[in-house]
Amino acid sequence: MDESYLSRFPRYLRYEKMISGMYMGEICRCACIDFANQGIFFNGLVGDKFKQQYVFKTEYVSAIVADQTPNLERIHYILHYELDIPTVSRQDCVAVQQLCKAVSKRAAKLAAAGLAALIEKVGKSKITVVVDGSLYHKHEKFRGYLHEYVCILVPSHEVSYKTAQDASGRGAALVAATSIKLKSRRDSLMDLTKF
């Protein structure tokens, strides 16, 4: 996929783009359009609304992955009525669900790989991971996928999870406070060396 679809900043933040809730829906939308252009999805036609960047929200991906209705009615409703795709067959619904599952699982595997590397680096047999983010909090299946893949990658570690709200904001505040404190200590030491 051409990365320019996902950002005004091609070649930057690639790992984040592959695992972030901000981009997951867009990755799925681009893949759906590619399949539609090949005549595989939606009889080759998507409406103008579906051609708009970021219209396929990650909340749709979550709902599509979680849909267990007999005829995948929720998926059909999202694609046809919310996203204005003119022709949506049951086969399209099955295929889009498989696509959304694959993208969701790939994101969980990539996130688990990064997390497993950090867990190995820390080296403790029991560890608690603080997790924040829309995928972890709102995607109905992502949390389970992530836990499963972390267990596969670091089976000798007992990993527990604790959810946090606005962890990135708090983390940035902690880094800023630590930086200020270290600068203050350095300045104090510099003052002492003047004597």
Side-chain angles (χ1 to χ4, degrees):
M1 175 193 299
D2 180 358
E3 189 184 357
S4 64
Y5 281 124
L6 299 179
S7 170
R8 294 181 302 245
F9 309 107
R11 298 181 309 278
Y12 293 96
L13 305 169
R14 287 182 173 167
Y15 184 66
E16 179 183 356
K17 290 174 187 173
M18 291 188 286
I19 64 172
S20 170
M22 180 178 190
Y23 298 104
M24 183 178 283
E26 185 63 6
I27 290 169
C28 292
R29 185 191 71 85
C30 290
C32 285
I33 287 176
D34 187 45
F35 285 125
N37 288 339
Q38 294 176 51
I40 298 169
F41 285 7
F42 317 125
N43 288 333
L45 301 170
V46 296
D48 289 337
K49 182 175 183 177
F50 197 69
K51 292 177 184 175
Q52 297 171 20
Q53 279 189 318
Y54 299 100
V55 71
F56 194 57
K57 301 172 188 159
T58 300
E59 69 186 59
Y60 293 149
V61 175
S62 176
I64 287 169
V65 169
D67 189 356
Q68 295 180 349
T69 58
N71 291 311
L72 304 175
E73 291 93 357
R74 181 72 181 132
I75 297 171
H76 185 272
Y77 182 86
I78 289 168
L79 296 172
H80 184 65
Y81 294 103
E82 294 189 24
L83 297 171
D84 296 336
I85 297 173
T87 306
V88 180
S89 68
R90 186 177 193 293
Q91 184 178 348
D92 290 329
C93 292
V94 170
V96 170
Q97 186 177 52
Q98 291 305 310
L99 171 72
C100 290
K101 278 183 185 177
V103 171
S104 297
K105 286 183 174 186
R106 180 191 77 152
K109 286 176 182 178
L110 289 167
L115 193 53
L118 292 172
I119 291 167
E120 284 289 334
K121 181 75 175 168
V122 170
K124 294 184 178 180
S125 61
K126 291 175 98 175
I127 191 165
T128 300
V129 176
V130 179
V131 186
D132 188 16
S134 61
L135 281 179
Y136 195 81
H137 292 296
K138 296 178 182 176
H139 190 304
E140 291 184 39
K141 301 285 185 175
F142 185 83
R143 181 185 305 218
Y145 296 154
L146 179 69
H147 293 185
E148 175 187 349
Y149 299 132
V150 168
C151 285
I152 290 168
L153 293 171
V154 286
S156 61
H157 295 268
E158 185 180 320
V159 182
S160 59
Y161 300 87
K162 183 176 179 181
T163 59
Q165 299 297 324
D166 191 30
S168 59
R170 290 178 186 179
L174 180 61
V175 168
T178 303
S179 176
I180 290 168
K181 190 171 185 175
L182 288 174
K183 184 182 181 318
S184 174
R185 283 185 184 170
R186 188 187 75 216
D187 291 347
S188 295
L189 287 174
M190 294 303 281
D191 288 343
L192 290 174
T193 61
K194 290 180 184 177
F195 294 107

